[in-house]
Amino acid sequence: MLAKNVGYEQFWGRVRYPDMIITLQWLYEKHPGNSNYRLLETMSLLNQKGLRWADYYTRGQFIFQDLDTVRPPITDRSPVFPHVHAVNAAQGMKAGAATYRFNNDASLLRSTRNGVNWTLGYHGDPAGSITGDERESGQAPNRG
């Protein structure tokens, strides 16, 4: 199921796994059939193999400054890029809440709050959107 460099094992699957967990949760709650254990096992596996969003939403990891001012510049080859790609950041903001629903790890609620508050507070606009063209940007009115 999880072959190397195919599907989920590719970079984007590991970053954007929360959508799959949410889909599996719907199936688990609405139409579990005889697959309860398999659905929970799959959600757990997705979470284990996925990007560690809770680790990024901690002081010392999260980038609070305007990303346009970070030196060296953050590019798609930077190790932190998966966390600051605008669409990925939106996925990351829901990762903890999605995972909490099946594992009840209360620490995920704190990291999720940090993720939402920090991302929108430092890389968002007044309308509640993440600013950025691919990578998050600062809050200058000409960005996003």
Side-chain angles (χ1 to χ4, degrees), residues 110-127:
R110 182 180 62 255
S111 69
T112 297
R113 278 190 210 85
N114 288 347
V116 171
N117 292 337
W118 294 349
T119 300
L120 295 177
Y122 292 92
H123 308 293
D125 66 18

Side-chain angles (χ1 to χ4, degrees), residues 38-93:
R38 187 173 308 267
L39 292 170
L40 288 171
E41 181 181 52
T42 303
M43 287 186 274
S44 180
L45 180 63
L46 290 168
N47 182 57
Q48 289 169 17
K49 296 273 190 175
L51 198 65
R52 308 304 327 146
W53 286 103
D55 294 344
Y56 179 65
Y57 294 134
T58 58
R59 295 192 186 279
Q61 293 295 315
F62 186 85
I63 301 173
F64 292 96
Q65 73 190 80
D66 180 337
L67 296 180
D68 291 335
T69 67
V70 171
R71 297 295 173 251
I74 297 172
T75 68
D76 61 351
R77 299 198 190 285
S78 302
V80 73
F81 184 75
H83 294 97
V84 300
H85 182 276
V87 175
N88 293 353
Q91 291 284 327
M93 289 192 303

Side-chain angles (χ1 to χ4, degrees), residues 16-45:
R16 299 181 183 182
Y17 70 93
D19 276 346
M20 179 60 84
I21 287 178
I22 290 169
T23 301
L24 292 173
Q25 286 170 346
W26 180 88
L27 199 61
Y28 178 80
E29 293 167 1
K30 303 293 184 187
H31 302 284
N34 294 327
S35 301
N36 278 350
Y37 174 77
R38 187 173 308 267
L39 292 170
L40 288 171
E41 181 181 52
T42 303
M43 287 186 274
S44 180
L45 180 63

Side-chain angles (χ1 to χ4, degrees), residues 22 25 92-102 108-109 111-112:
I22 290 169
Q25 286 170 346
M93 289 192 303
K94 63 184 170 182
T99 303
Y100 171 78
R101 290 187 63 207
F102 73 87
L108 293 172
L109 299 178
S111 69
T112 297

